Amino acid sequence: MVRRIGPWPPVSTREVAISKSFQNAGPTPGGLTYKAAGVDIAAGDALVQAIKPLARSTARPGADAALGGFGAVFDLAGAGFRDPLLVSATDGVGTKLRLAIETGRHDGIGIDLVAMCVNDLVVQGAEPLLFLDYYATARLDVETARAVVAGIAEGCRIAGCALVGGETAEMPGMYASGDYDLAGFAVGALERGQLLTGERVGEGDVVLGLASSGVHSNGYSLVRRIIADQSLAWEAPAPFDPDRTLGAVLLTPTRIYVTACLDAVRSGAVHALAHITGGGLVENIPRVLPDGLAVALDVAALPLPPVFRWLQTTGGVAPQEMARAFNCGIGMVAVVAADRVDETLTRLTGHGEAARVIGRVVARDAGPAVRLDGLDEAWS
């Protein structure tokens, strides 16, 4: 079942997986139907009607309000671009999705999905323009799917991009009852010659860290292992934040940095940005460093937020592994010219970001690309 957002016929059908339990079910009175095989087209229709207002709420210049056809149209000239390059990104939310399913909290996971894609666009200097999602499940629950898409729409509004379409696949036999999967796809643009590649990064540049909202959407296989080893319930008070449940804290949506980072990038002060996702600080920052350069991070300027301190202590996770598995409180890194640090911090904080100096760009020599000065003392 395919779900499209727009005025065309809302649901069309295609081949879907049919579980063995249906293959051998025998004759059905009145003839076999798609619903009897596990696919409810009426539920798909209901979902489309429920999410149309959500999609409309994300409209932006360039996104045609009358979508039409089998795909969405975006007018780059209408969005103000003259000689644009397109940048695309696709991602999911990893095993954080398991927490949403087990807790029944689905409203924020859509924000995570958008964040993981659009934050990867802005690090290249691109403005997010449009977003599409893929939602797959064994049997469509309209309320759950609507909550997920509501989160996607909210993420798109924060990022300033339009939710222009998507697909809902109801596939009995592919997923366990109550489970679903998510993927997102985002497209952004920037004018030719403005692509951030990291080639402007030089020795003496200053590294700024933008605070994360929590664990974001990486490292959840380790998080879930630590929780399981402690036999803790998701609805139990969080040991490090007793006013909230453990599940609520760990489902805090990934922060979307688009508005603040675009402003800083367009000022010309930013030489590179790095989205701190899987691989943490030690594997993401090197992706934007030229050969021969490294960053020296002052770990004393990176105190572990309570959720990370608890995960480290409870799980017995070594400091170096923390820096590889988690964002450790820094969701985005900006490398800026040394003489424009104060200006850039003012821009970032003016957009509500908690940003601070966390290190400098240095010659790499024979050492690692990310030097964690004072790691063991600060995170022991």
Side-chain angles (χ1 to χ4, degrees), residues 234-261:
W234 298 123
E235 294 307 315
F240 48 87
D241 187 355
D243 292 333
R244 303 171 66 194
T245 67
L246 185 59
V249 173
L250 292 173
L251 282 169
T252 300
T254 304
R255 189 162 183 83
I256 293 174
Y257 298 98
V258 169
T259 302
C261 286

Side-chain angles (χ1 to χ4, degrees), residues 15-22 37-38 134 136-139 169-181:
E15 292 296 323
V16 296
I18 305 296
S19 68
K20 288 185 178 180
S21 62
F22 292 123
Y134 175 79
T137 186
R139 184 177 297 276
E170 192 172 25
M171 301 189 292
M174 290 292 290
Y175 298 92
S177 177
D179 283 1
Y180 61 89
D181 199 8

Side-chain angles (χ1 to χ4, degrees), residues 12 18 27 38 63 79 113 125-126 148 159 175 178 186 191 220 247 251 278 310 326 332 340 344 346 354 362 374:
S12 60
I18 305 296
L113 184 67
V148 172
Y175 298 92
E191 297 293 353
Y220 275 82
L251 282 169
W310 181 83
F326 300 117
M332 183 72 74
R340 302 190 67 178
T344 305
T346 297
V362 297

Side-chain angles (χ1 to χ4, degrees), residues 145-202:
R146 186 197 178 283
V148 172
V149 177
I152 293 172
E154 175 63 14
C156 286
R157 287 191 292 270
I158 296 170
C161 63
L163 177 57
V164 297
E167 176 173 295
T168 300
E170 192 172 25
M171 301 189 292
M174 290 292 290
Y175 298 92
S177 177
D179 283 1
Y180 61 89
D181 199 8
L182 282 178
F185 177 77
V187 175
L190 72 166
E191 297 293 353
R192 191 177 303 275
Q194 295 180 353
L195 188 68
L196 275 185
T197 62
E199 64 183 11
R200 294 174 60 204
V201 174

Side-chain angles (χ1 to χ4, degrees), residues 117-137:
C117 295
V118 298
N119 285 341
D120 278 356
L121 295 182
V122 77
V123 298
Q124 296 175 85
E127 174 187 345
L129 301 177
L130 58 91
F131 191 87
L132 299 100
D133 68 277
Y134 175 79
Y135 180 98
T137 186

Side-chain angles (χ1 to χ4, degrees), residues 34-350:
Y34 212 3
K35 185 174 182 178
V39 178
D40 189 347
I41 295 176
D45 286 333
L47 175 61
V48 170
Q49 296 307 314
I51 65 178
K52 276 184 177 180
L54 299 173
R56 284 195 293 267
S57 73
T58 68
R60 56 150 295 151
D64 191 346
L67 300 176
F70 286 91
V73 176
F74 194 95
D75 180 3
L76 286 167
F81 290 94
R82 297 180 301 278
D83 185 18
L85 298 176
L86 294 180
V87 182
S88 60
T90 186
D91 212 332
V93 295
T95 59
K96 187 175 186 176
L97 193 58
R98 191 77 250 153
L99 272 70
I101 293 168
E102 292 178 1
T103 62
R105 295 172 176 263
H106 308 285
D107 52 337
I109 205 74
I111 299 176
D112 285 300
L113 184 67
V114 175
M116 294 301 290
C117 295
V118 298
N119 285 341
D120 278 356
L121 295 182
V122 77
V123 298
Q124 296 175 85
E127 174 187 345
L129 301 177
L130 58 91
F131 191 87
L132 299 100
D133 68 277
Y134 175 79
Y135 180 98
T137 186
R139 184 177 297 276
L140 183 61
D141 180 275
V142 174
E143 287 305 310
T144 297
R146 186 197 178 283
V148 172
V149 177
I152 293 172
E154 175 63 14
C156 286
R157 287 191 292 270
I158 296 170
C161 63
L163 177 57
V164 297
E167 176 173 295
T168 300
E170 192 172 25
M171 301 189 292
M174 290 292 290
Y175 298 92
S177 177
D179 283 1
Y180 61 89
D181 199 8
L182 282 178
F185 177 77
V187 175
L190 72 166
E191 297 293 353
R192 191 177 303 275
Q194 295 180 353
L195 188 68
L196 275 185
T197 62
E199 64 183 11
R200 294 174 60 204
V201 174
E203 189 173 351
D205 282 353
V206 175
V207 181
L208 306 181
L210 282 67
S212 68
S213 56
V215 186
H216 282 185
S217 299
N218 298 102
Y220 275 82
S221 294
L222 178 54
V223 170
R224 290 169 52 240
R225 171 65 183 271
I226 293 170
I227 301 298
D229 286 349
Q230 296 298 310
S231 300
L232 294 173
W234 298 123
E235 294 307 315
F240 48 87
D241 187 355
D243 292 333
R244 303 171 66 194
T245 67
L246 185 59
V249 173
L250 292 173
L251 282 169
T252 300
T254 304
R255 189 162 183 83
I256 293 174
Y257 298 98
V258 169
T259 302
C261 286
L262 276 181
D263 185 23
V265 166
R266 287 167 177 168
S267 76
V270 175
H271 292 171
L273 291 168
H275 184 200
I276 308 305
T277 55
L281 295 164
V282 298
E283 293 187 11
N284 285 289
I285 298 176
R287 296 165 69 177
V288 300
L289 295 178
D291 291 343
L293 293 179
V295 296
L297 300 184
D298 177 11
V299 184
L302 298 170
L304 286 175
V307 60
F308 294 107
R309 178 64 72 182
W310 181 83
L311 288 168
Q312 181 195 27
T313 303
T314 306
V317 184
Q320 186 70 30
E321 182 66 12
M322 290 293 295
R324 289 183 67 253
F326 300 117
N327 67 64
C328 296
I330 300 296
M332 183 72 74
V333 161
V335 181
V336 303
D339 60 351
R340 302 190 67 178
V341 171
D342 290 343
E343 169 200 339
T344 305
L345 286 172
T346 297
R347 286 182 182 276
L348 294 172
T349 57

